[in-house]
Amino acid sequence: MSDLHSDSLVELRDALRAFAADRVWERFHTPKNLAMALAGEAGEVIEHFQWLTAEESSALPPAQQEEVSLELADVLLYLVRLADVLDVDLAEAARRKIAINAERYPVEKAAGRADKYDRL
């Protein structure tokens, strides 16, 4: 991940810190509450795709695409806030996870397959 992306996450984190502080919400932003809110928002993303075919899910009408984009933003914002409260550097954690997945899913075994790493 480039520094630009890391900077973007830092900017989001700082904006969310300020947003919460301005509203005196820090006491509500516990890891438990933020994780639950994150799961709820992820559920709202899922609702947009429930009952759609694979093809329909890849060609959302513009209005639904906009709704999904806002739900995805909610997921990202809660994720960034949760990471901040837990003192997790998301960009670094993501880089570590990509490296782990590269070992678990070597190209020569995983290309074109959807199997879990322990079944390759």
Side-chain angles (χ1 to χ4, degrees):
M1 191 174 286
S2 73
D3 289 336
L4 175 63
H5 291 97
S6 295
D7 291 346
S8 296
L9 285 175
V10 169
E11 288 173 14
L12 279 175
R13 181 204 65 198
D14 292 348
L16 288 168
R17 275 184 190 172
F19 187 88
D22 289 347
R23 289 155 183 79
V24 194
W25 284 353
E26 295 95 335
R27 66 186 171 125
F28 304 116
H29 286 189
T30 64
K32 177 196 76 75
N33 288 349
L34 292 167
M36 292 174 68
L38 174 61
E41 293 299 338
E44 290 182 21
V45 172
I46 292 167
E47 284 181 42
H48 286 279
F49 297 98
Q50 188 175 12
W51 314 121
L52 298 183
T53 65
E55 294 78 20
E56 290 168 335
S57 72
S58 295
L60 297 176
Q64 190 173 8
Q65 178 78 19
E66 175 61 14
E67 290 174 16
V68 169
S69 72
L70 294 176
E71 296 301 345
L72 291 172
D74 283 339
V75 169
L76 176 63
L77 294 173
Y78 276 117
L79 178 62
V80 169
R81 184 70 178 132
L82 177 59
D84 184 28
V85 167
L86 292 173
D87 197 28
V88 170
D89 179 333
L90 271 179
E92 177 55 31
R95 284 189 287 271
R96 285 195 326 268
K97 187 62 178 182
I98 289 169
I100 290 167
N101 286 342
E103 288 183 25
R104 287 181 175 170
Y105 297 95
V107 172
E108 61 276 2
K109 289 184 179 181
R113 296 180 59 175
D115 301 299
K116 189 172 176 185
Y117 64 89
D118 63 351
R119 295 185 184 197
L120 292 175

